[in-house]
Amino acid sequence: MALMITDECINCDVCEPECPNNAIYQGVNIYEINPQLCTECVGHFDKPQCQEVCPVDCIPLHPEYTESREDLMLKYHQLQQDKVN
């Protein structure tokens, strides 16, 4: 699953630099996560780094994007391949 940022976000700016896939960006009112780029840090870390640093715990799983760990690893490999090309 991809992660999402809820409207409880306080725009503290700590999550964005932690994302190894550059999936987090400043939206209109709060930070947002591009589900096409989010691998929940699979391939990089054991736990999602944005969740680890979020002071208000506003980054749950996105209910509309269900992916297995294997799917996330495939996405990770594809994103890495895209960086090379």
Side-chain angles (χ1 to χ4, degrees), residues 10-79:
I10 59 172
N11 291 315
C12 66
D13 302 321
V14 298
C15 62
E16 183 183 26
E18 296 299 320
C19 182
N21 296 323
N22 296 316
I24 300 174
Y25 61 95
Q26 179 64 51
V28 175
N29 296 311
I30 60 173
Y31 278 91
E32 296 182 30
I33 297 177
N34 179 339
Q36 304 305 315
L37 299 177
C38 180
T39 63
E40 295 178 46
C41 290
V42 168
H44 296 282
F45 301 101
D46 292 333
K47 296 179 180 180
Q49 297 302 288
C50 59
Q51 287 180 333
E52 292 289 304
V53 299
C54 181
V56 293
D57 195 29
C58 68
I59 308 175
L61 292 172
H62 197 305
E64 295 176 19
Y65 294 93
T66 57
E67 298 168 293
S68 68
R69 185 156 181 87
E70 292 79 23
D71 292 336
L72 293 169
M73 185 59 82
L74 288 172
K75 186 192 299 186
Y76 161 76
H77 286 299
Q78 183 61 52
L79 290 169

